[in-house]
Amino acid sequence: MLIAMVFAALVVLVTGPKWIAWLRKLKFGQTIYELGPQSHKQKQGTPTMGGIMTTIALTAAVLVCHPAQWNGAQDFLWPMLFVTLGSMAVGFADDWIKVVKKRSLGLTPWQKIFGQVFVAVAFAVYCYLHPMVGSKVWVPFVNIEWDLGIFYIPLCALTVIFIVNSANLQDGLDGILSSVTAVGSLAWGVLALMISQAYAAGAFTLPEANHHTLAVFAFALVGACIGFLRFNHYPAKVFMGDTGSMLIGGATVGLAFLTRQPFLLLLIAFTMVASSVSVIIQRYYYKATRKIYGEPRRLFKMTPIHHHFELSGMKETKVVLMYAIVTAVLSLIAIWGVSGAKIL
């Protein structure tokens, strides 16, 4: 796990300057949303699609550091790569159209939905049919299993789509998504390791090997994000774009479902969830007040909610630090909530 983390970080750190120079040469620059915070105008033209760096580092690290035993079609590496790279592919297509084809809206809503639904449903069906996952999920703190039956597939697919888009929404400040992902993925790695050790019985069994694989994947993602932060912290030299944010969303939700701990997304991925929830609340509040008072009102100054904190006077770096600390605290609570579960 540690080798995977260091390997992924080094790949990004070594190749990063060349990637950024290449993106700058091709003029793959970020277009800043005109209605966004005024302080973000200076970021116009910053190279984007830096998520390619993270993708290469993560994929290389998990393949090189995979446990010695491969488990065929039941090996957890395959669904992790599918949901992670599949989500990334949708984001990459969106970035490519925005940056190269110069279409500001990227993929049409239906194109994006089709791609995300395909990845989400295929991943959900795989989990449902896998003998180590199935239709049961663990409910933390109360220490019970909840069998969702056939409803597992649509609920899993909807969660995948929600988290992938939540990660995309959160990627609005320099270093914010990389920071919270590095912290959160460390927690997913620890949880996977705990489950792996619980299955250990002298021999390297399939459940132990698969959760070991998840731990390696999570730590590789930690390393890739730490390496990317070298270039993405304020003031950012490169943005990850939808390519990187959707990769992170797919990886996060994949780790949650393959460890059978999707409820822990509410803790470990709390800031991602808050980004989407704040947008939803703002939209419905806006519509409701327009209907009631005749004129629309806003509950937040701007959404996703990290922009609300920014416009309330917090420096961008302080918002990022706050998000990382919140993720760290909630991740510790998540680990504590699983430590006494029957699965361990």
Side-chain angles (χ1 to χ4, degrees):
M1 291 186 297
L2 294 177
I3 292 173
M5 181 173 68
V6 173
F7 182 90
L10 287 176
V11 170
V12 177
L13 290 171
V14 171
T15 63
K18 292 184 178 180
W19 273 108
I20 294 172
W22 182 68
L23 292 170
R24 196 180 299 276
K25 181 179 179 181
L26 294 176
K27 297 182 179 180
F28 284 8
Q30 178 74 34
T31 300
I32 302 301
Y33 183 48
E34 290 195 7
L35 298 180
Q38 291 299 311
S39 60
H40 289 205
K41 298 296 183 181
Q42 61 186 3
K43 302 179 182 183
Q44 181 78 23
T46 301
T48 189
M49 294 179 70
I52 298 172
M53 299 153 54
T54 310
T55 302
I56 293 173
L58 174 63
T59 305
V62 296
L63 289 174
V64 170
C65 299
H66 186 280
Q69 178 179 333
W70 288 81
N71 297 296
Q74 293 187 359
D75 196 303
F76 274 177
L77 181 60
W78 307 126
M80 278 304 306
L81 285 176
F82 175 79
V83 71
T84 302
L85 298 183
S87 299
M88 181 279 298
V90 176
F92 177 84
D94 196 43
D95 280 339
W96 182 266
I97 293 172
K98 289 177 183 176
V99 176
V100 180
K101 300 297 183 180
K102 306 301 181 184
R103 275 172 41 192
S104 59
L105 296 179
L107 291 173
T108 66
W110 283 110
Q111 288 173 331
K112 188 177 292 187
I113 289 173
F114 176 81
Q116 291 183 343
V117 168
F118 173 78
V119 172
V121 171
F123 176 74
V125 171
Y126 177 93
C127 291
Y128 179 76
L129 297 176
H130 198 291
M132 283 178 51
V133 185
S135 60
K136 295 180 180 179
V137 297
W138 279 96
V139 182
F141 304 105
V142 295
N143 197 20
I144 61 172
E145 275 187 326
W146 188 10
D147 192 343
L148 301 175
I150 193 63
F151 294 104
Y152 177 94
I153 294 176
L155 290 173
C156 175
L158 287 172
T159 304
V160 170
I161 295 170
F162 177 78
I163 294 297
V164 168
N165 285 291
S166 296
N168 187 33
L169 284 172
Q170 188 172 15
D171 185 33
L173 301 179
D174 293 357
I176 190 169
L177 186 56
S178 299
S179 298
V180 300
T181 303
V183 175
S185 295
L186 186 63
W188 288 118
V190 170
L191 287 169
L193 179 62
M194 291 165 59
I195 297 172
S196 174
Q197 294 303 306
Y199 280 118
F204 206 49
T205 61
L206 175 60
E208 182 188 357
N210 270 344
H211 285 89
H212 189 186
T213 297
L214 293 180
V216 169
F217 194 102
F219 271 73
L221 184 56
V222 172
C225 288
I226 290 175
F228 189 71
L229 269 172
R230 167 66 181 81
F231 310 104
N232 186 235
H233 71 81
Y234 182 86
K237 296 182 178 67
V238 64
F239 297 139
M240 63 174 61
D242 290 359
T243 304
S245 61
M246 291 191 178
L247 169 111
I248 285 174
T252 300
V253 76
L255 289 166
F257 274 96
L258 290 175
T259 55
R260 295 201 299 150
Q261 302 288 344
F263 285 106
L264 291 184
L265 287 167
L266 296 173
L267 293 174
I268 300 175
F270 173 78
T271 58
M272 295 182 192
V273 174
S275 296
S276 282
V277 171
S278 66
V279 172
I280 295 170
I281 291 175
Q282 181 88 317
R283 179 172 296 178
Y284 281 99
Y285 185 83
Y286 186 91
K287 290 181 178 179
T289 53
R290 181 171 58 185
K291 189 174 183 179
I292 295 172
Y293 301 108
E295 60 178 15
R297 300 179 184 180
R298 289 179 172 84
L299 185 62
F300 306 109
K301 293 183 178 181
M302 183 177 289
T303 57
I305 196 170
H306 51 259
H307 290 315
H308 170 81
F309 295 126
E310 192 179 9
L311 293 176
S312 296
M314 289 186 69
K315 291 183 178 179
E316 189 170 341
T317 52
K318 288 188 176 181
V319 177
V320 173
L321 179 60
M322 177 181 69
Y323 270 52
I325 292 173
V326 168
T327 302
V329 172
L330 294 179
S331 294
L332 288 173
I333 294 173
I335 293 172
W336 172 74
V338 174
S339 60
K342 292 178 182 178
I343 193 172
L344 301 179

